[in-house]
Amino acid sequence: MARSGAHAIVMGGSMAGLLAARVLADYYERVTVIERDNVGTWAEPRKGTPQDRHVHGFWARGLHTVERLFPGITAELHGGGAVPGDAVGDVNWHQFGGLKLRAATGIGATLMTRPFLESHVRRRALKHQAICLLAGTTVTDLTTDEHHRRVRGVYVLGTGGTREAIEGDLVVDATGRGTQAPRWLEFMGYQRPPETAMRIDLVYATRTFRRLTNRPTIGHIIIGTPPILRRGGFCFAVEDSRWQVTLVGFLGEEPPTDPEGFADYAGSLPNAEIHDVVRSCEPLDDIRLYKFASNLRRHYERLAAFPEGYLVIGDALCSFNPAYGQGMTVAALEVEALEACLAAGTPPALVAPHFFKRAAQVIDVPWRLTSGEDFRFPQVVGRRPPLLSLLNAYVTRVHHAATVDPVVCRAFFEVASLTRRPERLLQPEILWRVLTARPALST
């Protein structure tokens, strides 16, 4: 394939950055990943991803992209202890007052901790001869031409405190939600991207427990019915024979960080499965808290001008309510959008606008899905789309029908996993089943 340039720079060595580096390695002679944290190929939490100590979901659609970029990695994950299963048949989903059917759907689930997944992806990425990692290195600014029309590289500050310039033909910003891109654009004379924010005040509290049995159930997901209950919980079987339990609070609810309060909070959920794990299993660590104030989307696709040789990707582009588990999968799909731009031979001056347009299309569907759910809470401020109340009423009936109808249940998870578009739930066959279902619901 034709080369796009000699050197690409990726700022940020998280999932979006590592996957982007692997794609860029097919089009650039060298790819340098610059990561602020001192990371290696080992699996451990790090400062740059404070959410990585908590339950993470990675839909099969996202893992499929990772497998394509790193053939055989799924088997490596399973061999290292990640827990495989069916995302529906092997997981208890309690939502909207009922348990989804435990029918096999073929929608795969691979459960593991975020550091475990990231370490495997990092190790595989660094095996590529074109990719190198600068760990413990902070990007302080961009380097540009005289008129700021083109980004030519970055300034970095290494662990020794020395500031130096690194030149590149393309700089990809995967530094996450706290990216400096809007500030840098403003300094260079460009507009900051318009932003859409939705304050949800989500709080996670997480603890791991010893998992002694190999039960068929590999996960429990409990979400209270909005807007009445602003609590939920996730319990996933992960590597090293552990349960990872994350309790969730929205909009003023906050799970306690003391053991008894943690257990009582789990007991307040509308299903006893997670409470049973917390009460019966040996705890392996302390309870850790994580706070997420708001969903945030930056609309780079709306900018009239943008410097050449620069892109923004991953959470730096859009960060979702993590309770829906869409973030890593969307990042993988954004990387596919970047790959499509490069494969099409897009001229360097047009890569940014073409990519941002494609990425916006990737983001649109999960953003509508997750924001629609968050808008069920009247406390969430934002512009509600037309007919939202009608759509949410129908989605509630989809949830209810999925407790008794396997066809509806599969269709729901095809959409939730980003395998099918939301229109799937409005097809005549599904519509009829939803409207005629007669579920028996609890609270």
Side-chain angles (χ1 to χ4, degrees):
M1 60 187 66
R3 291 286 177 180
S4 298
H7 187 209
I9 297 170
V10 178
M11 298 187 297
S14 190
M15 286 295 294
L18 292 169
L19 297 181
R22 173 59 190 87
V23 164
L24 291 166
D26 287 336
Y27 296 91
Y28 287 81
E29 295 174 13
R30 293 184 299 123
V31 180
T32 301
V33 179
I34 303 174
E35 169 54 48
R36 182 178 59 185
D37 291 332
N38 280 305
V39 296
T41 55
W42 55 88
E44 65 177 22
R46 60 190 184 86
K47 185 178 180 181
T49 52
Q51 73 276 21
D52 66 2
R53 296 179 182 271
H54 307 273
V55 163
H56 272 67
F58 198 20
W59 288 104
R61 179 65 182 85
L63 188 57
H64 173 78
T65 300
V66 176
E67 175 67 27
R68 182 176 62 81
L69 295 175
F70 303 107
I73 195 171
T74 305
E76 291 179 11
L77 293 169
H78 293 167
V83 182
D86 188 282
V88 185
D90 297 323
V91 177
N92 283 324
W93 291 79
H94 190 281
Q95 297 172 288
F96 288 83
L99 278 169
K100 299 288 192 298
L101 280 178
R102 289 282 300 274
T105 61
I107 300 173
T110 297
L111 305 185
M112 56 203 149
T113 63
R114 169 69 177 269
F116 177 85
L117 170 63
E118 198 171 284
S119 68
H120 277 264
V121 173
R122 187 185 307 117
R123 181 162 54 246
R124 286 294 298 271
L126 294 180
K127 284 184 177 180
H128 197 292
Q129 61 181 3
I131 301 174
C132 70
L133 171 68
L134 289 181
T137 304
T138 301
V139 175
T140 61
D141 209 342
L142 303 175
T143 67
T144 69
D145 62 10
E146 182 181 358
H147 301 289
H148 302 308
R149 292 174 182 168
R150 179 171 182 83
V151 171
R152 297 197 177 277
V154 297
Y155 286 112
V156 299
L157 191 65
T159 52
T162 304
R163 186 173 185 260
E164 61 178 291
I166 301 177
E167 293 186 352
D169 302 288
L170 177 67
V171 175
V172 176
D173 188 333
T175 55
R177 185 184 175 96
T179 174
Q180 296 297 306
R183 182 178 67 83
W184 288 339
L185 288 174
E186 194 171 47
F187 173 79
M188 290 187 288
Y190 295 89
Q191 289 185 332
R192 296 172 69 101
E195 295 183 352
T196 301
M198 296 172 55
R199 191 168 187 89
I200 58 172
D201 289 321
L202 177 140
V203 182
Y204 272 2
T206 297
R207 198 175 202 188
T208 56
F209 298 83
R210 192 175 307 282
R211 182 173 180 255
L212 297 178
T213 61
N214 261 333
R215 298 179 183 177
T217 300
I218 61 173
H220 306 284
I221 296 172
I222 304 171
I223 303 296
T225 302
I228 301 168
L229 191 59
R230 303 191 303 276
R231 297 183 176 191
F234 305 90
C235 176
F236 284 0
V238 296
E239 71 276 6
D240 299 327
S241 300
R242 293 175 293 165
W243 288 112
Q244 189 174 41
V245 175
T246 293
L247 302 182
V248 184
F250 295 92
L251 298 164
E253 291 279 6
E254 183 168 320
T257 54
D258 66 284
E260 282 302 313
F262 188 85
D264 290 343
Y265 194 94
S268 73
L269 301 179
N271 182 283
E273 297 285 359
I274 295 179
H275 184 247
D276 290 345
V277 169
V278 172
R279 282 298 188 191
S280 64
C281 296
E282 176 192 357
L284 299 176
D285 57 9
D286 295 328
I287 300 164
R288 296 181 180 273
L289 214 62
Y290 169 67
K291 296 185 178 182
F292 181 91
S294 60
N295 305 327
L296 179 62
R297 181 175 183 180
R298 296 182 172 104
H299 297 276
Y300 286 95
E301 75 280 5
R302 297 180 186 174
L303 293 179
F306 195 82
E308 297 177 20
Y310 185 47
L311 294 176
V312 179
I313 200 167
D315 278 1
L317 199 57
C318 182
S319 57
F320 300 85
N321 182 336
Y324 301 116
Q326 306 281 28
M328 290 193 296
T329 297
V330 173
L333 297 180
E334 290 172 12
V335 169
E336 287 190 343
L338 173 60
E339 186 178 29
C341 289
L342 296 172
T346 306
L350 298 178
V351 169
H354 280 216
F355 167 73
F356 288 139
K357 182 178 179 180
R358 287 178 181 264
Q361 293 170 348
V362 167
I363 293 167
D364 279 343
V365 169
W367 181 266
R368 290 202 308 268
L369 291 174
T370 58
S371 62
E373 290 299 307
D374 287 338
F375 275 139
R376 290 179 183 271
F377 298 97
Q379 302 96 320
V380 174
V381 177
R383 184 179 179 182
R384 286 161 167 76
L387 304 179
L388 178 63
S389 59
L390 180 62
L391 288 172
N392 277 349
Y394 177 71
V395 172
T396 297
R397 297 196 64 160
V398 171
H399 280 288
H400 293 167
T403 66
V404 294
D405 189 315
V407 176
V408 175
C409 186
R410 180 182 175 85
F412 169 78
F413 282 103
E414 286 174 340
V415 173
S417 65
L418 304 180
T419 304
R420 299 283 293 271
R421 291 187 59 82
E423 291 81 4
R424 166 67 172 148
L425 298 177
L426 297 174
Q427 292 178 345
E429 176 196 18
I430 304 300
L431 183 66
W432 173 254
R433 288 175 174 270
V434 168
L435 297 180
T436 58
R438 294 292 180 266
L441 303 174
S442 62
T443 56

